[in-house]
Amino acid sequence: MNASWAWLIGLGVVHTGLAYVLLFAGMAGLAAGRIAVLQFAYPITAVMVDWALYGRALDRVQLLGVGLMAAALLATRWPARPKA
């Protein structure tokens, strides 16, 4: 195997493994509903980085989707209303 492939595999395993360990360790104390909504943070971040670094703009429907994800993230910060 070529040394480049070995480095590529090593970087992928180490970085991906570390990311998942940190992700799941951080989620350990959260409720399932909050975890589900917070998973929207990754695609929003990816879209924003893609726009900032590469200048790729979203169309209206895609922007609507980003807005819905942002609203869901903001909604997790509000306390739940007591049921009547």
Side-chain angles (χ1 to χ4, degrees):
M1 180 173 16
N2 187 332
S4 299
W5 281 105
W7 278 106
L8 182 63
I9 291 168
L11 286 171
V13 170
V14 170
H15 289 165
T16 302
L18 180 62
Y20 276 105
V21 166
L22 292 173
L23 177 72
F24 290 121
M27 286 192 236
L30 298 175
R34 182 157 288 200
I35 292 170
V37 173
L38 289 175
Q39 290 302 309
F40 289 133
Y42 176 75
I44 290 172
T45 304
V47 167
M48 298 306 273
V49 169
D50 193 36
W51 171 74
L53 293 179
Y54 303 112
R56 293 193 178 111
L58 300 178
D59 64 23
R60 284 185 224 160
V61 175
Q62 292 169 322
L63 286 172
L64 176 64
V66 169
L68 289 172
M69 289 188 288
L73 282 171
L74 291 173
T76 63
R77 300 186 54 90
W78 294 320
R81 293 183 184 175
K83 295 183 179 179

